[in-house]
Each structure stands twice: as structure tokens, then as C-alpha cells.
Amino acid sequence: MEIFVQLLLNGLIAGSLYSLLAIGFNLFYGTVKFFDLAFGTIALVGSYATLSFLKNLDLPLLISVMGGILVGAVLNVIIYKLVYVPIRARKGSNMVLLVTSLGVFTILQSLLAILFSSQFQTLRSAGYVPHIFHIYGASVTSVQVLMIALAVLVPIVMHFILKRTKFGRAVRAIGDNEEVASIVGINTSKVIGGVFFISAALSGLAGIMNGLDRGIEPYMGLALLLKGIIAAIVGGIGYLWGGVLGGFVLGLIENFGTWYLPSEWKDAIAFVVLIIFLIFRPRGILSK
Amino acid sequence: MGYIIHLIILCLLFAINAMSLNLLIGYTGLLFAASAAFAGIGAYTTVFLLKSTELGFFPAVIISMLVASVMATLLGLVLNKFRDDYFALVSVGFQVIVSTVFMYWVGFTRGPLGIPGIARPTLLGLDFSSNIMFLILVAIIASVVYLFIKFLIGSPFGRVLKAIRDNEEAIKVFGYNTYFFKLTILSLAAMLCALAGALYASYITYISPPVFYLFESILLISIVTFGGLGSLKGPVIGAVIMVLLPEALRFVGFPPEVAAQMRQAVFGLALILLMLYRPQGLVGEYKL
Amino acid sequence: MKAIVWLIVIVVVIWAGWALLDKAPEAEAGPIMIGFIGPLTGDAAAYGEPERDVVALAVEEINAAGGINGRQISVIYEDGKCDGTASASAAQKLVNVDKVQAIIGGFCSSESLAAVPIAAAGKVFLFSPGSSSPDLTGINQFFARNYPSDASQGRVMADVLYAKGMRNVAFIQESKDYPLGIFKAFQARFAELGGEVVKEEFPTDSTDFRTSLTKLKAGKPDALFVDAQTPAAADRILQQVQELGWKTQILLNDAASDPALITKYAKLLEGAMFAEFGYDATNSKFAALATAYKAKYATDLPWQSYSQTYYDSVYILAEGIKAVGYEGEKLATWVRTVKDWPGASGNVSIGSDGDVVGGHSARVIMDGKATPLGQ
């Protein structure tokens, strides 16, 4: 029983990270319909910014986290304005955008490695040990509980934004058909800028929580992105709650899967799941 | 001097890989992210045959190319259901799964220990142990590959590929079995990657799983896009720049740790600029 | 057609260039060029860079004392990146281009394993002061090392644990050659004695060990062996062991015996054990090394067990060159005759299999410090 609960918790913890990533990814992909390969690395930009605020400027945790998220989000908007707007203006295909995002990803990753070294670093201040809770004999830390809570709270907030605000309606309209949306008077450029901002903020939050729980290093951006994509596809790509569901499903499959298989196959399991879904149910679990 | 030979050999090996990837991306419009996996299949199969049978290098390479071809065909059956972004994503999945196999199928690959002491080829009494001889061998092979691709592209087969790239639906209407063409070109490209991988293994005399990871596949995509898609010289130029750039950076005085990252950063920046202003790459003919 | 022309051009250019630019072999009176392969970049640079500095220090001392038979020593440092491919390239350059007769290196076993065939083909003596993989024992007549094989580490740990009554050990092992080597050595000896070992592997850069640890914990082992490549990875694992609330006998490999790590997890590691190739602070050469290093580099001598062997390797090599001349094959043969040579690492003897005689000894962690394990 204890083992089952521990595995369940492990799955939820991993799943919460994937969900947060998937939410940001879905928001983005659902609106502009291309893969941004730099998505995971932007999460790291936020995390490293938080690290700097914490360690170099000695700011309190909450301020550092908010500052980090802001840095990542603003940077993403700047990149949008400088790079993606011109390409989209001349109707660049999805492949061009993908390869461009590859360039952004590469350059961000190398800059992070140069500035912060490729060593693994934790966002925790020295000596900080999180409180450990025990449930039915299994353990979970306060940071992890917070992650799981966020993975439930954030989509609720996002749901509200998307369904009840003008901005959210504009986002959905653009997602349905960008041309029509701009014809009816929506300032698509501004709204998409907002999408870039929010999705970077979400992924930044995910990255920072992960950094507090485990740690960060410059090369994990791609892995974060891929997990986010897999979670999004499994759950239902482009849909908010699809991302949440997909994230938790992926986390649970990975952890229960490695119970039966040697744990080194964990990453391969995730991709096998992806391919199975793409073949048999490409729209995901929660598709229309 | 010997060092220049070393660099030229690396340029040629990467050029073979890049040319094969160009066949897929530049001529057929398939964004393929598993070239390193096939290079690895070629390398490990060749080395396995060399060490456990009496076969010489060239028969072993030919067999490993056939193995790669079979695996590519099987992969293609799954892969060809997808387009564009999703095609790339599934190829990433294949790459990661194969990387995991390389690391953990210890009986075949010795996993993290890698395989040292790989012999240089011998052919008809000619021994290619010296770097000069090896350089000539690779130069000849690279030229043959170049000429073969040139011939292929100019042929009716090549025209169909380009048509698939430009508008697959259109030529399907004309009765062309695009599925078959895509399978064939995938298989061919995989064989060339396997060839490059086997030659690499023989040159360095040591291989280990990380050489054939996703990172390398993405690097190859960058090279090919940068050099120029849909042109014969593009991948060669891209390969040359990729090998020589870190050397140039080292000259300028960057410390080695930073030089490797700077190469990445410069490449990323170049990609972004290219996509903004010249999406066909340096000398390419196909705009993504 | 054009490609064939290109090909001919390439061949001609190379041939001409080679004929014109290829340097003649080193004149007899010039400096003695020795090669060095070690991780100068990447995670393992934390080891590679100080050891390069130790080598530089030793070379400086020897040169100041007149060099070898009047000739000065000069070292060509190449970056092995703790990676077989990089090391193979480095070895190729040192052997084929720089034409050295001896190379000090690699540090990581993957570096040495990759370089051995290249050195052997070029009849160059490869002498490693840091590689511990059991696979290197007797691998080739051109290879020798003054750092003990991990077969010794695995064996010592297995003996100690069995003697303490443990029969069932769980491993969490990083997928790299050094951790794998320790695992294999431990398992072989432990099984021989009658014990059982289970393991979960993880790829480098993993951050989530929870389920692997849960799996191992469920098997109720007598001990958990944290077998990672670097202290950073061990840190991540220990953190999650702590968070899972798993209290058990912990074992470490010598990479994880980093003092900072031990201090950080002092409570969790109370009573934990590991085996290391220790150093003797009262050894006069060792003390002299520590002082000289601090004087030159303004920081304490790090990684003492490696620094002592790196220092010794330069002096051993110098003695060999004095004895038989600077020639790879002769040096490789000579080094196997070294018996009770007084070094900073104690009395050094090299066996016919190229391995140094002697090995690891067990330590236990008490109050955040490592102390020898009394029998």
C-alpha cells in the first residue's frame, strides 16, 4: 500500500511539472499553431533569472520567483517582436518558424551555458530542507505539494481568463481562425504578444518550481519542451484541460511503468506513449 | 599539417551526413530528426560485425547500410502517416528510443563503456591506418555520394521528390504513389547516414552512445538549413563551416569551454538571421 | 566530372602541403615533448584542471633542477573532456601530429580506454594517474597506471559489508564507465561471498530518482550504494533519499566522498561508508607537494588522492627517460620494473599487468568527517 501511494505521488509530482509545461505549450500552440523549440529554454531563462536574484542580489524567494517569471516572459515577447512578427508578416510557413525557433533555442541555451556554466544548480538556498509530509507511509515535500497544487490552480485561473475575459475570447478567436479574427477587428499582433508573455510566464513558473524541487542546468530546455509536447498531445493538443490531464497521465505512466521496467527506459517509455497516441488517437484523450 | 587532415576528414564525414539529410529536408520537404540515430546504427552494426566475424570493413559497412535501410523502411511505415511538425516529432521519438537502446543494450554496444580499438579499413591489401590514406578514402566516398545525389536529383525520381516537397496533394492527384517515394528516399538517406557513422567509427577508433544522440541530429538539421536546402553544395558548405568555426573561435582566443558554446550561439544567431532574410540558406534553392 | 576534378585538386593540395609543411622529427637537443590528456572542460574539469596544474608544477620543479640529461621537459595539454571521442581525437593528435613518446592521461577511464589503441599503434607509452576502470588492467603493454583499479574498491566494500552481516545491497548507478566498473567489481566479489545485489541505472543528467529509489526501497535491502559519476549527481540522489524519508545504511563511491557533500548531508550520512585510495599527510613528498602547490596557485591542494599520483607520474616518467631514453616502447617495459619507488603516494610498485600494487581502504563517516574504518 505504501509503495502504491508513493508511486502515485511520484507520478503526480512528475505530472504536475508536465502539466504546467503543457498548459503553457497548449496556449501557445493553440493560438499560433507552430512548435516553438525555445519553449523549454525560456523556462530556464526565468529559472536562472530567479537564481541570480536569489544568490547574487539576495532578494527574498517570492520576489525572486516573480522577478524571474517576469524576465522570461518579457524576453519571450521581445523575441516575438524581433523575430517572429516579421516572418509571420510575410506568411512564413510553419517549417520556417520551427527552424527559426531552433535558432532561438540554440542561442539561448548557449548563452545560459556561458553565463551560468553547465553545472547543475539548485534554486534552494544553502541548508534549506523542505518540510516532509507523510501519507500512508509515503513521503512528499512541501515544494512538491505546492507544485501539484499549482498544477490544479493555474489551469483554473487560465480557464477563467480564456472564457471570461476579452483577452481570452480574442485568443480563442485567433486560435479558431486568425484571418477572420483580424478582420473582425481584433488586434492580433498585440494579443499574440500577450500569448507569448503568458505562455513564457507559465513555463517559467514550471521551470522555477522544478528548480526548487530538483535543480536546473542549461541543457534541460529540450527535455522540458519534449515532455510538455508529449503531455499536450496525449491529453488533447491545444486544449487547456487536455494539457493538465495529459501531464498527469504521462507522469503516472512513467512512474508506474518504471516500476515494472528498468528505470533507465523512462525516457523511451514517454516517447513510445507519444507514438502510440499519435498513431491511434492523435487528437488526444480530450479531443472534441 | 596532420591536424588539417583531421579537420578535412571531419568536414567530409559531416558533409556525407548533411547531404543525406538534405535529401530529406531540402528535396522532399521531410523534417527528419533522427539522422544521428541511423549514423549510430551504421556505426554499431559495422563495429559489431568487425569484432565478432571475419568480415572486412567494407562488407561490414554494406551490411550495416542494409540494416539501416530495413529499419528506415519500418520506421517510414509509421512516419509517413504524418506531416511537417508531427513528422519531425515522431522522428525525435525514434531518435530518443534508439539512443536509449544504444545505451542499455549492453550486450551489443557495451553501453557507456563504449567500444574502443576499432580497426581502420583494409581493402585489397591497401591499409588505411594512416590519416592521409583515410582522407583519400573518405574524399572518394564523399565524391561518389555527391555525384550519386546529383544524378538522383536530376532524374525523374528527383523531380517527383521536389514535387512532393512543393505540393504533395497535387502530384498524388496525378497518380504518383508518394508513399512509396517517401519510403524510398527515407531508406536511402538512412543508408548514407549509416555509411557516415561507420566511417566515423573507424576514423576515431572509438564510439559510445552520446555521439549519436538527439543533440547531434539537431545539429545536423542546423547545418543543412544553414548551408542551404535543396542545393548540392549547401550541405557541404554547412558542414565545413560547422567544423571550422570552433577552430576559428579558438584562434581568436576564446577559452575552450566558451568556444564550444560560442559556436552554438553563433550558429543559432545565423539561423535566425537566415530565416529572417534568406530562408533558403546560404546557397540553397528551396525556401522552407 | 567536376567532382572528380575537385577530388584531384584536394589530393594534390594535401600532398604538396604535406611535403612542404611536415616538420622533421624533434632534434635530439630540443625539449622533451610529453603529452597530457585530461578533462579540461565539462563537469570533470573540476578534476582535470587542478591535475594539469599539478603536472605543470612537477615539470617546473624538474626543469629547474636541470631537466632530464640537460633537456627541458615541455608538455602539450589536450582536452579529453572525460569523453572517449574527444580523448581519441586528442590521442590522435599527440601521437600522429605532435609525435610524443609518452602521454600522461587520461583521467576518466573513458579517456584512457579510447586512447590505449591509438597509443599502442603509435608505440607511445600511456601512463594514467587517475583511471580506475578494472577493464584497464593488463589491457596493453603500452599502458600502465599508478592509480589503483576499482576492482580494489568494489572488493574492499564487498568484504566490509559481508563482514558486517549484510547480504542484500541495492545500487543506484549512473550509466557511465566508472560507476559501472565499481558495480561490476562489487557484484562479482559480493556474489562470490554469497550476497545479492540489485540495481537501478540512470542516465547522466537525470533529476528524478524517486521511483527508482522507491523500487529499491521496496526490496528492503541492507544497504544502498550511491554509485554516481560526479558529486553533483550523488547530491541529487541523496537529496531525494532524504526526502523519501529512507533511513538505511548508505554506501558511496570515492567520487562522492567530496568533503563538501559529506558536510551537506552529515546527518543522513552518519555511519555511511566508502572506500578510497587515501593519502598520507605525513609523507614528506606529499607535504612538500601540498606546500608548493599552495605557494604557486594560492589555494589548497585539491583531490589529494589524485594529486599525489599525478605528481608522482611526472617524476616516475622522468626517471624512466633517464634510465632508458625517451622512447615509448622502452618506457612501457621499464615502468613495469618499478618497485618500491618512493613517491608522494607512498611506495609505488607497478606490476606486469601495468597496475599499481596496493589499493583502496575503507572509511566511515562520523560527525560529518571521514575516518578510517577500524576492523
Side-chain angles (χ1 to χ4, degrees):
Chain A
M1 185 57 195
E2 166 193 322
I3 295 169
F4 178 79
V5 176
Q6 186 69 63
L7 284 180
L8 187 64
L9 281 172
N10 294 348
L12 290 177
I13 296 166
S16 62
L17 172 67
Y18 302 151
S19 294
L20 285 171
L21 289 169
I23 294 171
F25 180 80
N26 269 334
L27 175 67
F28 181 85
Y29 187 79
T31 319
V32 294
K33 308 268 193 284
F34 75 90
F35 285 162
D36 177 7
L37 291 182
F39 177 75
T41 312
I42 285 280
L44 290 178
V45 168
S47 314
Y48 275 106
T50 305
L51 185 68
S52 302
F53 292 144
L54 275 174
K55 302 241 164 100
N56 296 353
L57 298 181
D58 252 337
L59 294 174
L61 183 62
L62 195 57
I63 309 262
S64 302
V65 169
M66 296 200 334
I69 293 180
L70 202 61
V71 167
V74 168
L75 180 65
N76 211 23
V77 175
I78 295 177
I79 294 175
Y80 167 66
K81 288 249 147 63
L82 281 181
V83 175
Y84 292 114
V85 165
I87 296 183
R88 297 182 90 240
R90 58 154 212 264
K91 303 260 177 279
S93 73
N94 269 8
M95 299 277 274
V96 181
L97 292 166
L98 184 72
V99 174
T100 312
S101 73
L102 175 62
V104 174
F105 158 70
T106 310
I107 202 177
L108 282 180
Q109 182 169 273
S110 5
L111 286 178
L112 283 177
I114 293 178
L115 289 173
F116 296 100
S117 97
S118 13
Q119 308 278 27
F120 198 82
Q121 304 196 57
T122 172
L123 286 180
R124 300 189 190 182
S125 17
Y128 167 67
V129 178
H131 187 82
I132 301 178
F133 299 99
H134 294 283
I135 307 177
Y136 285 108
S139 311
V140 64
T141 71
S142 51
V143 174
Q144 292 158 357
V145 169
L146 181 59
M147 269 179 91
I148 299 179
L150 281 173
V152 175
L153 287 172
V154 166
I156 294 179
V157 170
M158 286 305 304
H159 182 101
F160 179 79
I161 293 180
L162 284 176
K163 286 274 190 316
R164 297 293 166 92
T165 66
K166 197 164 146 206
F167 173 78
R169 280 196 287 272
V171 168
R172 282 187 291 133
I174 297 177
D176 280 339
N177 190 326
E178 190 171 338
E179 268 198 66
V180 170
S182 85
I183 291 175
V184 300
I186 296 178
N187 186 343
T188 56
S189 175
K190 219 166 112 186
V191 173
I192 295 181
V195 165
F196 268 76
F197 184 89
I198 297 182
S199 79
L202 289 170
S203 76
L205 179 64
I208 292 172
M209 291 310 300
N210 188 45
L212 282 171
D213 182 38
R214 286 166 239 160
I216 51 177
E217 50 110 10
Y219 298 103
M220 15 180 353
L222 188 61
L224 289 174
L225 168 77
L226 289 172
K227 290 291 167 78
I229 292 182
I230 297 178
I233 290 180
V234 164
I237 193 155
Y239 299 104
L240 174 67
W241 291 102
V244 180
L245 180 67
F248 283 113
V249 165
L250 180 64
L252 288 167
I253 293 182
E254 267 187 5
N255 279 281
F256 279 97
T258 56
W259 177 257
Y260 294 106
L261 296 169
S263 51
E264 51 262 26
W265 294 93
K266 187 158 71 161
D267 286 335
I269 291 176
F271 278 99
V272 169
V273 168
L274 170 75
I275 295 180
I276 291 177
F277 265 87
L278 281 177
I279 297 178
F280 298 110
R281 204 178 164 89
R283 295 255 164 261
I285 300 176
L286 284 186
S287 57
K288 270 195 250 204
Chain B
M1 183 60 232
Y3 197 57
I4 296 183
I5 295 180
H6 169 74
L7 288 178
I8 298 181
I9 293 179
L10 285 182
C11 285
L12 289 169
L13 289 175
F14 277 104
I16 297 176
N17 243 334
M19 285 193 278
S20 80
L21 190 57
N22 187 29
L23 273 177
L24 290 172
I25 306 183
Y27 287 110
T28 322
L30 299 171
L31 187 61
F32 186 66
S35 11
F38 281 102
I41 291 174
Y44 274 111
T45 312
T46 305
V47 171
F48 175 76
L49 289 171
L50 282 177
K51 299 237 171 190
S52 44
T53 68
E54 291 295 309
L55 284 172
F57 181 80
F58 292 99
V61 170
I62 294 181
I63 295 181
S64 69
M65 283 169 73
L66 291 172
V67 168
S69 161
V70 167
M71 295 196 65
T73 311
L74 290 173
L75 172 67
L77 293 173
V78 172
L79 208 49
N80 282 342
K81 296 189 202 297
F82 304 103
R83 306 279 176 81
D84 291 348
D85 310 344
Y86 282 79
F87 181 92
L89 190 57
V90 174
S91 69
V92 168
F94 179 75
Q95 163 75 64
V96 172
I97 294 173
V98 169
S99 301
T100 316
V101 169
F102 283 157
M103 182 63 101
Y104 295 111
W105 188 9
V106 182
F108 184 62
T109 68
R110 288 176 28 117
L113 294 178
I115 305 182
I118 302 172
R120 287 283 179 85
T122 59
L123 175 67
L124 306 172
L126 273 176
D127 178 13
F128 292 97
S129 307
S130 80
N131 282 359
I132 280 262
M133 291 298 287
F134 197 84
L135 169 63
I136 296 178
L137 174 69
V138 179
I140 294 177
I141 294 181
S143 312
V144 168
V145 169
Y146 182 91
L147 289 171
F148 172 72
I149 292 182
K150 181 168 177 175
F151 163 76
L152 190 69
I153 292 307
S155 75
F157 184 86
R159 282 196 285 278
V160 174
L161 291 182
K162 284 188 242 185
I164 295 178
R165 172 191 74 193
D166 293 333
N167 193 334
E168 187 170 353
E169 296 306 315
I171 69 155
K172 260 186 176 171
V173 164
F174 280 100
Y176 280 95
N177 186 348
T178 59
Y179 195 71
F180 164 76
F181 281 90
K182 286 198 286 189
L183 271 184
T184 311
I185 194 66
L186 196 59
S187 173
L188 249 157
M191 285 172 73
L192 292 175
C193 287
L195 173 63
L199 286 170
Y200 181 82
S202 180
Y203 176 59
I204 304 277
T205 72
Y206 174 84
I207 51 171
S208 70
V211 178
F212 307 109
Y213 272 10
L214 177 61
F215 181 75
E216 314 300 319
S217 283
I218 294 187
L219 191 62
L220 273 166
I221 295 179
S222 311
I223 302 175
V224 173
T225 316
F226 181 80
L229 294 166
S231 96
L232 290 167
K233 297 197 205 60
V236 179
I237 294 180
V240 169
I241 295 185
M242 193 211 98
V243 171
L244 296 184
L245 191 56
E247 303 304 319
L249 287 173
R250 235 204 303 194
F251 252 171
V252 173
F254 281 110
E257 318 84 87
V258 178
Q261 319 290 9
M262 282 307 292
R263 168 177 83 173
Q264 295 293 89
V266 168
F267 240 87
L269 184 63
L271 262 183
I272 297 176
L273 291 173
L274 268 183
M275 288 298 115
L276 274 173
Y277 302 115
R278 200 183 158 80
Q280 64 266 43
L282 280 182
V283 297
E285 285 150 22
Y286 169 58
K287 296 189 205 197
L288 271 176
Chain C
M1 191 60 232
K2 215 162 121 188
I4 299 179
V5 173
W6 266 92
L7 174 58
I8 296 176
V9 168
I10 292 175
V11 172
V12 166
V13 165
I14 291 167
W15 215 272
W18 189 37
L20 288 172
L21 296 174
D22 196 17
K23 292 189 245 203
E26 286 302 330
E28 275 303 312
I32 297 178
M33 307 291 273
I34 297 179
F36 172 96
I37 297 179
L40 303 177
T41 62
D43 285 344
Y47 297 96
E49 292 193 304
E51 300 322 328
R52 177 201 53 199
D53 291 342
V54 167
V55 167
L57 177 64
V59 166
E60 209 179 270
E61 288 178 356
I62 296 177
N63 283 342
I68 302 176
N69 297 335
R71 290 171 75 183
Q72 298 275 285
I73 308 177
S74 180
V75 185
I76 305 176
Y77 298 97
E78 290 294 328
D79 184 4
K81 301 188 189 169
C82 195
D83 168 62
T85 315
S87 173
S89 288
Q92 289 245 3
K93 176 172 179 286
L94 288 171
V95 171
N96 295 323
V97 178
D98 299 314
K99 300 217 193 303
V100 301
Q101 286 296 306
I103 299 176
I104 293 183
F107 173 75
C108 295
S109 299
S110 52
E111 294 177 330
S112 299
L113 282 167
V116 162
I118 300 172
K123 295 205 199 304
V124 169
F125 174 46
L126 184 64
F127 194 36
S128 172
S131 292
S132 54
S133 167
D135 284 342
L136 286 166
T137 303
I139 192 173
N140 190 291
Q141 54 166 148
F142 284 96
F143 176 78
R145 54 180 164 182
N146 62 335
Y147 192 88
S149 154
D150 279 329
S152 152
Q153 184 176 167
R155 200 187 172 90
V156 164
M157 292 301 286
D159 286 339
V160 164
L161 290 187
Y162 197 83
K164 284 199 178 298
M166 297 184 202
R167 297 288 176 265
N168 191 336
V169 174
F171 261 75
I172 180 153
Q173 179 222 307
E174 188 165 339
S175 300
K176 279 210 130 148
D177 49 275
Y178 158 75
L180 183 58
I182 295 179
F183 170 76
K184 285 185 357 189
F186 180 93
Q187 185 194 38
R189 179 64 180 150
F190 205 59
E192 197 178 40
L193 291 170
E196 259 187 55
V197 184
V198 273
K199 83 159 160 177
E200 287 291 312
E201 267 191 67
F202 64 91
T204 310
D205 295 338
S206 282
T207 56
D208 189 349
F209 308 101
R210 264 184 289 270
T211 296
S212 306
L213 290 171
T214 308
K215 249 171 116 166
L216 292 174
K217 187 176 168 193
K220 297 205 201 311
D222 296 319
L224 171 69
F225 201 129
V226 177
D227 190 10
Q229 177 79 15
T230 60
D235 189 329
R236 301 202 278 282
I237 297 173
L238 288 172
Q239 179 182 300
Q240 291 183 4
V241 169
Q242 196 172 48
E243 287 173 2
L244 280 173
W246 188 8
K247 299 194 188 356
T248 181
Q249 171 70 50
I250 293 184
L251 310 163
L252 302 170
N253 58 26
D254 59 353
S257 64
D258 175 37
L261 188 67
I262 295 179
T263 313
K264 184 172 174 182
Y265 291 100
K267 227 171 111 189
L268 180 70
L269 291 177
E270 184 69 22
M273 296 187 284
F274 63 96
E276 66 171 0
F277 176 58
Y279 64 94
D280 180 5
T282 65
N283 178 313
S284 59
K285 282 195 178 173
F286 180 85
L289 165 63
T291 319
Y293 187 92
K294 182 123 191 219
K296 183 169 160 120
Y297 298 109
T299 174
D300 287 327
L301 184 71
W303 316 119
Q304 289 92 344
S305 37
Y306 291 114
S307 297
Q308 58 182 354
T309 52
Y310 266 85
Y311 186 73
D312 282 347
S313 69
V314 180
Y315 275 94
I316 293 176
L317 185 59
E319 183 153 323
I321 297 174
K322 264 186 223 158
V324 296
Y326 188 44
E327 215 190 285
E329 194 160 4
K330 291 193 181 153
L331 287 167
T333 316
W334 169 87
V335 84
R336 284 158 166 75
T337 66
V338 169
K339 293 276 174 283
D340 290 326
W341 181 88
S345 56
N347 284 342
V348 180
S349 301
I350 311 265
S352 57
D353 55 5
D355 266 5
V356 70
V357 170
H360 299 77
S361 45
R363 303 261 182 274
V364 65
I365 298 177
M366 308 270 223
D367 292 328
K369 283 207 209 345
T371 53
L373 180 68
Q375 273 310 333

